[in-house]
Amino acid sequence: MSKLWGGRFTKETNKLVEEFTASIAFDQLLALEDIEGSLAHVQMLGETGILPQEDVVTIKQGLLRIKDKVQQGEVEFLVEDEDIHMNIERLLIEEVGAVGGKLHTGRSRNDQVATDMHLYLRNRTLEFIDLVKAVQEAIVKQAKEHVETILPGYTHLQRAQPVSFAHHLLAYFWMFERDKERLQDSLKRINVLPLGAGALAGTTFPIQRERVAELLGFDHIYPNSMDAVSDRDFIVEFLGIASTLMMHISRLSEELVVWSSQEFQFVELDDSFCTGSSIMPQKKNPDVPELLRAKTGRVYGNLFGLLTVLKGLPLAYNKDMQEDKEGMFDTVATLDGSLRLLAPMIETMTVNTDKMKSAVQQDYSNATDIADYLAKKGVPFRDAHEVIGKIVLYAIQHKKYLLDLSMEEYQEFHAEFQEDIFSVLDPTNVVAARESAGGTGFVQVKEQLGKAIELLK
Ligand code: ARG
């Protein structure tokens, strides 16, 4: 089969080379974007008089028929045609005859592929904003139910201070909010049109790039044709945002795995989100959060892969850049699947409020509050800390929790202790007392929840 670029060649391409250099196996995912870009390009070619109107009409009709066939899954892409751009051009020529060959006037595959990638990532980014929002909605739904559910808060995975479960969950809401902002902000850099840059230097045809930008809904055009065809920053940026998002998903997943263990039993994931063991009949494994945690690795890998591909490239286009695609597609698929699972998994999980409550009754996470108690009576916090350290040690040695100590015992440690210490130490009061802005106090958490709900509107 003759190549679209075959004129200068005297030999057939080596079969292995053909397979090695082809991208059609993966870049066929850009088919619709490629057609969209071509429709705008040919429209502009007609408007500027570069192509006669009747050719434009014929080419457009042909492209629309191909689009239809792509959507019906009726086209066969060929490795011999190397990539999506040449496959579609070949299909067009088959569809409408030699006039199809006029579509590539004033354009190169270099500005074409960059345009396709911009269109593709714009669509995916908009979808991801919605998917992240769905996760936030699931978080808010659970948080609403659990403002007054308390559980141990940890630092170093050691019991630190009790917190509201809603507060703990909402921490993730804000991480995802920042991810959403990052996606939104990246649109500024995605929404720039490369088409019209030609191979690297622009074109001799009197094209109107601004018009193509308008037709495709881009905010503006790349001001430099060499930058236009060699910029892949917007993909690196997407992979970076995706990595941060996966890191957040992974941290939450880790908590879900830990919380659903026999040791914690803080939550139970719905049966429909777990799997069993082929040998141990009692097992209910949290495979989904485990895989979410693990898939973060491939997303980081894709980011690093592309950064490495790009780091040594001279201007302008280099074939190396074709390697921008698989990692991006893989990231899109991974992130899409992850977000779609995460939302319903959070929404359907059962929260074991009793287990959480009994956990905070069996620890020393109210110790800070005794120190605060003395400090409020004028004892320097440092001295109070020392006294409470001794009380905790004493309690541990006597196999008691802080609420089990008697008034007499407290007074032996410090004369300032009075009866009200017991209500101060009650875990619910410990949480309720932290009403500083952004704290876990119930009033603060309700306010925070209100802000979160407002943001989702
Ligand atoms: N398949 C190519 C890519 O993805 C399209 C651009 C090819 N350009 C070229 N000069 N070989 O990068």
Side-chain angles (χ1 to χ4, degrees):
M1 176 188 238
S2 68
K3 300 285 183 202
L4 288 175
W5 39 255
R8 185 236 178 273
F9 287 76
T10 54
K11 283 189 179 174
E12 291 277 299
T13 318
N14 177 306
K15 270 285 153 214
L16 290 174
V17 170
E18 200 163 75
E19 274 167 32
F20 191 70
T21 56
S23 53
I24 189 61
F26 46 90
D27 69 10
Q28 53 182 278
L29 285 172
L30 297 172
L32 295 179
E33 284 81 2
D34 197 71
I35 294 170
E36 192 186 347
S38 289
L39 284 168
H41 176 68
V42 76
Q43 162 89 15
M44 179 277 291
L45 292 180
E47 287 174 8
T48 49
I50 296 170
L51 287 190
Q53 244 349 290
E54 69 257 34
D55 290 353
V56 171
V57 172
T58 310
I59 290 172
K60 274 191 170 175
Q61 284 169 346
L63 284 170
L64 289 173
R65 285 201 294 276
I66 296 168
K67 180 178 171 181
D68 228 44
K69 287 186 189 166
V70 169
Q71 283 171 327
Q72 305 302 319
E74 284 169 6
V75 289
E76 201 200 330
F77 295 118
L78 304 176
V79 171
E80 291 80 353
D81 282 335
E82 191 181 320
D83 58 22
I84 188 63
H85 325 294
M86 289 197 293
N87 266 276
I88 288 185
E89 193 173 329
R90 164 88 64 192
L91 288 167
L92 180 68
I93 292 167
E94 278 168 20
E95 193 77 36
V96 302
V99 62
K102 294 190 180 184
L103 170 64
H104 212 51
T105 311
R107 131 183 133 170
S108 150
R109 271 188 297 157
N110 297 350
D111 55 349
Q112 186 180 355
V113 70
T115 302
D116 292 4
M117 297 289 272
H118 278 265
L119 287 170
Y120 176 86
L121 263 192
R122 177 171 68 192
N123 294 335
R124 299 293 88 77
T125 298
L126 291 169
E127 286 168 13
F128 283 132
I129 289 172
D130 285 343
L131 288 173
V132 174
K133 200 170 162 199
V135 171
Q136 288 179 302
E137 274 160 1
I139 289 174
V140 162
K141 228 175 186 170
Q142 284 286 3
K144 272 186 190 160
E145 302 294 314
H146 293 289
V147 172
E148 287 175 20
T149 299
I150 58 171
L151 80 164
Y154 297 80
T155 63
H156 314 263
L157 202 58
Q158 303 288 324
R159 302 270 178 96
Q161 292 170 346
V163 291
S164 146
F165 186 51
H167 193 55
H168 193 133
L169 282 178
L170 286 172
Y172 287 97
F173 176 95
W174 299 108
M175 296 179 218
F176 290 126
E177 185 61 23
R178 291 192 294 275
D179 291 327
K180 229 171 53 185
E181 280 173 18
R182 274 184 274 269
L183 285 166
Q184 190 69 47
D185 190 68
S186 73
L187 285 170
K188 266 193 269 181
R189 287 165 293 279
I190 294 176
N191 247 337
V192 188
L193 177 77
L195 205 65
L200 77 162
T203 168
T204 56
F205 291 96
I207 57 167
Q208 277 178 7
R209 297 185 60 205
E210 296 286 0
R211 175 64 180 140
V212 180
E214 185 189 357
L215 288 168
L216 292 175
F218 285 107
D219 299 330
H220 45 96
I221 62 172
Y222 275 87
N224 181 310
S225 62
M226 294 180 82
D227 184 38
V229 291
S230 49
D231 174 30
R232 295 294 182 272
D233 298 2
F234 66 104
I235 305 174
V236 171
E237 186 174 357
F238 166 70
L239 297 176
I241 296 170
S243 295
T244 309
L245 238 168
M246 285 304 295
M247 178 268 288
H248 291 151
I249 292 173
S250 183
R251 292 184 73 171
L252 176 52
S253 297
E254 165 66 10
E255 303 227 64
L256 294 176
V257 171
V258 170
W259 287 343
S260 50
S261 69
Q262 186 83 42
E263 286 69 19
F264 278 75
Q265 298 178 39
F266 286 175
V267 302
E268 185 173 348
L269 298 177
D270 194 74
D271 272 7
S272 59
F273 285 88
C274 293
T275 53
S277 157
S278 59
I279 167 167
M280 298 164 284
Q282 86 284 8
K283 292 296 289 289
K284 176 172 160 183
N285 295 328
D287 287 27
V288 174
E290 290 175 283
L291 279 174
L292 292 175
R293 200 169 55 182
K295 283 179 188 293
T296 306
R298 64 200 288 160
V299 173
Y300 290 1
N302 292 335
L303 169 64
F304 219 77
L306 182 57
L307 283 169
T308 310
V309 165
L310 296 173
K311 73 175 270 290
L313 297 186
L315 292 180
Y317 179 83
N318 302 271
K319 186 73 171 183
D320 309 51
M321 290 162 119
Q322 181 166 288
E323 285 290 312
D324 61 358
K325 291 179 192 58
E326 282 163 292
M328 182 192 67
F329 290 137
D330 181 70
T331 299
V332 165
T334 304
L335 193 56
D336 185 274
S338 301
L339 290 167
R340 281 179 203 279
L341 272 173
L342 187 58
M345 186 170 67
I346 293 170
E347 209 176 312
T348 56
M349 75 185 181
T350 311
V351 180
N352 201 340
T353 53
D354 292 343
K355 282 280 175 193
M356 289 181 176
K357 180 87 192 223
S358 67
V360 289
Q361 286 163 342
Q362 290 160 37
D363 65 17
Y364 299 88
S365 63
N366 44 3
T368 313
D369 293 69
I370 327 182
D372 286 358
Y373 177 91
L374 287 186
K376 283 173 191 161
K377 300 207 175 218
V379 180
F381 184 79
R382 226 4 95 213
D383 298 346
H385 188 287
E386 173 76 17
V387 173
I388 315 311
K390 296 223 162 72
I391 296 178
V392 171
L393 186 62
Y394 171 89
I396 293 171
Q397 283 166 348
H398 290 80
K399 298 197 174 7
K400 289 179 176 181
Y401 294 110
L402 296 173
L403 271 172
D404 304 331
L405 300 180
S406 67
M407 197 64 241
E408 293 69 43
E409 286 174 302
Y410 273 110
Q411 270 168 351
E412 279 197 21
F413 284 97
H414 207 287
E416 291 287 359
F417 282 118
Q418 275 152 14
E419 274 303 323
D420 60 343
I421 185 64
F422 297 108
S423 103
V424 166
L425 288 187
D426 178 85
T428 304
N429 295 338
V430 168
V431 177
R434 285 178 166 68
E435 290 294 356
S436 52
T440 191
F442 302 126
V443 178
Q444 282 297 319
V445 173
K446 278 182 198 138
E447 206 172 292
Q448 184 191 161
L449 192 53
K451 281 184 193 153
I453 292 168
E454 199 54 41
L455 278 169
L456 291 179
K457 278 187 182 153

